[in-house]
Amino acid sequence: EAGVTQSPTHLIKTRGQQATLRCSPISGHTSVYWYQQALGLGLQFLLWYDEGEERNRGNFPPRFSGRQFPNYSSELNVNALELEDSALYLCASSLGTYRDGEKLFFGSGTQLSVL
Amino acid sequence: GENVEQHPSTLSVQEGDSAVIKCTYSDSASNYFPWYKQELGKRPQLIIDIRSNVGEKKDQRIAVTLNKTAKHFSLHITETQPEDSAVYFCAATSGGGADGLTFGKGTHLIIQP
């Protein structure tokens, strides 16, 4: 069974540009979560999608957005890139939501570098 | 929202010794506490988790304890091996999970040969 897959592996952009990151959850998983892992800051919760809808977002500005498609894959968009957006962006999926205690499985991430 | 503090940030132990990583959380409604291991350049992987109705859980050399009254939980690794070297993250759900899993900032565990 394939795990959570993310693309691209690496992405290099310049300030002010837009970045699009993609995630395919484990087959059968309906919930997708996005986390930002910046150096020394651990994993910061960005967005949570379930059944095609945004269920919650973390403390990030509106230029971080995304969506979930009917096949449960997801896309994270970051507009007007800033230098401090450089980080590893991790996608995770679960069968349900962890409010129900479902385990979270992570992808390998997209390393975004903003120059 | 939930706040999770994790200590220490770096832990160096001799191979074969035990390692303990501690976390505290702020939201008394939190009910699910997973631990993730992230090796260099790899994805975080769930190694053990505990729910609030249990005080301790063991899986071979790994154990997690939870003290709900004090709002802290700990990861214990016994008989450490070189492959245990990694960054370990604790996490907790906030009330109802609506705010997402909140992670600690991680502990870099170094196993000295």
Side-chain angles (χ1 to χ4, degrees):
Chain A
E1 179 185 287
V4 178
T5 57
Q6 290 186 246
S7 63
T9 308
H10 295 87
L11 189 56
I12 300 174
K13 295 285 186 178
T14 55
R15 283 180 60 192
Q17 285 189 313
Q18 181 201 33
T20 299
L21 288 64
R22 296 180 177 82
C23 171
S24 292
I26 291 173
S27 177
H29 286 193
T30 61
S31 276
V32 170
Y33 312 84
W34 287 95
Y35 285 85
Q36 182 194 65
Q37 187 174 25
L39 221 55
L41 293 179
L43 289 86
Q44 305 291 315
F45 170 65
L46 263 167
L47 288 159
W48 164 31
Y49 292 96
D50 184 59
E51 296 286 356
E53 293 193 18
E54 181 180 304
R55 300 296 185 181
N56 202 21
R57 63 182 294 125
N59 189 24
F60 281 84
R63 56 192 187 80
F64 286 84
S65 65
R67 52 182 170 165
Q68 186 178 34
F69 300 99
N71 65 354
Y72 302 114
S73 67
S74 177
E75 196 173 86
L76 173 69
N77 294 295
V78 189
N79 293 322
L81 284 165
E82 300 179 3
L83 297 178
E84 51 265 35
D85 296 334
S86 294
L88 180 68
Y89 289 83
L90 289 163
C91 171
S93 74
S94 72
L95 267 173
T97 66
Y98 39 66
R99 69 175 66 193
D100 300 321
E102 294 294 344
K103 300 178 193 302
L104 224 60
F105 295 87
F106 282 89
S108 296
T110 293
Q111 184 65 52
L112 174 63
S113 298
V114 183
L115 307 177
Chain B
E2 176 71 277
N3 183 47
V4 177
E5 300 283 341
Q6 183 172 349
H7 300 280
S9 56
T10 304
L11 177 60
S12 181
V13 302
Q14 289 293 125
E15 183 179 348
D17 288 350
S18 295
V20 180
I21 301 170
K22 299 181 179 181
C23 289
T24 60
Y25 61 98
S26 60
D27 191 338
S28 56
S30 287
N31 57 9
Y32 177 60
F33 309 91
W35 285 87
Y36 285 83
K37 175 184 179 182
Q38 187 175 28
E39 296 176 71
L40 191 62
K42 296 191 176 179
R43 69 187 74 193
Q45 291 198 301
L46 179 70
I47 55 171
I48 196 166
D49 57 7
I50 192 167
R51 302 182 196 280
S52 57
N53 59 346
V54 175
E56 183 176 1
K57 184 176 178 181
K58 288 184 74 172
D59 183 3
Q60 299 182 330
R61 296 187 296 109
I62 293 172
V64 57
T65 58
L66 171 65
N67 183 326
K68 284 177 59 181
T69 304
K71 289 190 283 187
H72 69 70
F73 56 114
S74 300
L75 178 71
H76 304 253
I77 305 174
T78 59
E79 300 171 12
T80 53
Q81 299 170 4
E83 54 264 35
D84 295 331
S85 293
V87 178
Y88 292 80
F89 293 96
C90 63
T93 59
S94 56
D99 295 332
L101 264 179
T102 301
F103 283 83
K105 291 189 176 171
T107 295
H108 186 193
L109 177 62
I110 301 165
I111 308 301
Q112 303 279 6

